[in-house]
Amino acid sequence: MPGPRAPREPRGPGERQPLLAPRPRGPRQWRRAAAAAVLLVEMLERAAFFGVAGNLVLYLNSKNFQWAGEQSSRAALVFLGASYLLAPVGGWLADVYLGRFRAIALSLLLYLVASSLLPATAVPDGRSSFCGEMPESPLAPACPSPKCLRPSPSPYCAPTLYVGLLLLALAASSVRSNLTSFGADQVMDLGRHANRRFFNWFYWSINVGAVLSLLVVAFIQQNISFLVGYSIPVGCVGLAFFVFLFATPIFITKPPTGSQVSSMLKLALQNCCPRLCCQHSARDPQGVQRLPDQRSPQPGPSFQEDIANFRVLVKILPVMVTLVPYWMVYFQMQSTYVLQGLHLQIPNIFPDYPGNSSEALGAQGSGYKIPEAWLLLANVVVVLILVPVKDHLLDPLLLRCKLLPSALQKMALGMFFGFASVIVAGLLEMKRLEYIHNNQTVSQQIGQNMYYAAPLSIWWQIPQYLLIGISEIFASIPGLEFAYSEAPRSMQGAIMGIFFCLSGVGSLLGSSLVALLSLPGGWMHCPMDQGNINKCQMDLYFFLLAGIQAATVLLFVWIAGRYERAAHSPASQNCPSRDRS
């Protein structure tokens, strides 16, 4: 590498180098320190996020709110979906008005405020202040037949909780969409493989945060107190905010450069409905003469670059859209998988403690049960182990042998593992329902709730969590790499926002499917089984998801093959618009 470096070219107006001079340590060390600060912020933010989402189903299903099983699962899917679906909003605000640095800082501040709602509603005075008093269950005449259908009662405190969760989702999505690109900006001078390695470790830091959250926060929430359990995520967000501001002097920051969303929409409208659009005008009208030192009043890509970027977007978008069914499967891990686990036999952490048994119904002092959310650790541990192995051993070996698969090939493999996960979940649910239909149930108290579980150990869920963890490594991480590296440099932020947005679409489609199947006569409709799912047919829901995923895997393979053939064509390789420096 050359020694002293001139400012990186082209350095845009307003782009700021680190305030700390690189002389004492060298530029590579400062770039790594900046990237490490970003990874630490991401770890703390993810610890807070998983602290909120990990036991959200159990929290809404508790005696504090008494939501039905499908209502709490739907709320969790809406929250998870919105936290991805709203990603373009934060990206657009950063591109047009704030810049990534200020967008992240303000999002963390909103995160801090919104996350405070959950511990506030965990105490009776807070619930009465934010939600009012819980209404009494209305009296209704007895059902004339065992198969009569009754609508589920309206969930208590739903408007307040949904508003708080959506604000929290907006803050989380803005941090996610901007912090990913902001971190990649810090390492872009460290070589052509720096981005790939950064995304590997970025995902690794996400899962470190998840481990810390699930081991500590989920245990406290389930066995001790939701007040304490939901106060810890607030502290994590506060610490992340402090670390981000403290590391400001070593960050490379860029000013807002404007959004190309309007240009893309205009071009799409011109292609679809040319009669509705006036004749286009480029940012630099051809008939205007400028002085030699006169600059364009609106710096940014030219009209020709907009057209080239639009063509790239048209090629990339079908690839990312076919990932949506994978996200439908992936987000079951924090919704229906959790609901299924609550209805399997959960062992105690201290099995020899006097009175510890699943049949010991009454006692709060019957010991601590293993938090159901700990099953997510199977997914997380797979990622924590395999990401370093992949980064240090597998990828370099395959690279030397010239056998390293493309990002699209990895994504197809990840989708297959997601399909396998939901198939295993469906088979386990079939077996669980066999026990239920034969009246072989185990009564177990989890927190303040009573669940009637099948006498199957919750450890039978581990394979489906392991498979979804392997699918993350092959689908989600290469998906991030694909979205960032395949986009033109002027559209990287927009493409990353679209990637996360489509992730949210998958979660919301899963939530909509649950809502549809919860209607009278649907597989998930069981209002007489308040809080339990023993009269639902969730196995058919899992198999339906598997069928959707299998069909889209085939579609994805076909689209990805066409994309790679086009990318390797001589015309595409000579295209000047694909500047990914």
Side-chain angles (χ1 to χ4, degrees), residues 31 170 247 304 323 401:
R31 295 301 88 237
L170 175 62
Q304 289 74 19
L323 268 178
C401 299

Side-chain angles (χ1 to χ4, degrees), residues 79-228:
F79 169 64
L80 292 168
S83 68
Y84 287 86
L85 191 66
L86 296 173
V89 176
W92 179 80
L93 289 173
D95 288 342
V96 177
Y97 297 110
L98 301 174
R100 287 174 187 159
F101 177 82
R102 280 186 290 178
I104 294 168
L106 291 175
S107 299
L108 286 172
L109 193 58
L110 175 61
Y111 212 135
L112 191 61
V113 174
S115 61
S116 302
L117 177 67
L118 290 172
T121 55
V123 293
D125 289 341
R127 281 195 302 278
S128 60
S129 299
F130 285 101
C131 311
E133 297 298 327
M134 181 181 291
E136 297 291 335
S137 300
L139 295 177
C143 280
S145 68
K147 293 186 176 181
C148 71
L149 301 176
R150 253 183 214 168
S152 298
S154 177
Y156 167 62
C157 198
T160 301
L161 287 173
Y162 269 109
V163 169
L165 289 173
L166 288 176
L167 287 175
L168 193 58
L170 175 62
S173 64
S174 181
V175 170
R176 179 187 289 110
S177 61
N178 289 300
L179 194 63
T180 309
S181 300
F182 185 78
D185 289 341
Q186 309 306 312
V187 301
M188 65 187 305
D189 290 340
L190 298 184
R192 53 177 226 167
H193 293 298
N195 279 339
R196 176 179 58 81
R197 300 197 66 191
F198 171 77
F199 285 122
N200 280 340
W201 289 105
F202 187 84
Y203 220 85
W204 189 83
S205 67
I206 289 174
N207 286 275
V208 170
V211 166
L212 296 176
S213 178
L214 294 173
L215 278 176
V216 179
V217 179
F219 175 83
I220 292 173
Q221 288 170 344
Q222 180 170 311
N223 292 291
I224 298 176
S225 165
F226 274 110
L227 173 62
V228 178

Side-chain angles (χ1 to χ4, degrees), residues 420-434:
S421 172
V422 78
I423 283 288
V424 170
L427 293 174
L428 177 62
E429 184 65 10
M430 282 183 63
K431 190 66 178 176
R432 191 190 73 81
L433 288 175
E434 282 184 19

Side-chain angles (χ1 to χ4, degrees), residues 360-373:
L361 303 183
Q364 293 289 337
S366 60
Y368 295 130
K369 286 192 175 295
I370 290 175
E372 200 285 330

Side-chain angles (χ1 to χ4, degrees), residues 490-555:
S490 58
M491 286 188 64
Q492 285 172 335
I495 296 295
M496 293 296 288
I498 291 172
F499 176 82
F500 288 123
C501 177
L502 291 174
S503 306
V505 169
S507 179
L508 291 180
L509 284 177
S511 173
S512 301
L513 191 56
V514 170
L516 181 64
L517 296 176
S518 299
L519 295 175
W523 295 335
M524 297 291 288
H525 181 74
C526 42
M528 301 301 294
D529 201 16
Q530 185 75 18
N532 286 268
I533 55 169
N534 292 336
K535 295 182 181 178
C536 297
Q537 294 177 285
M538 202 162 65
D539 55 335
L540 300 180
Y541 171 70
F542 287 139
F543 291 138
L544 177 60
L545 285 178
I548 296 171
Q549 176 70 101
T552 47
V553 167
L554 300 176
L555 180 61

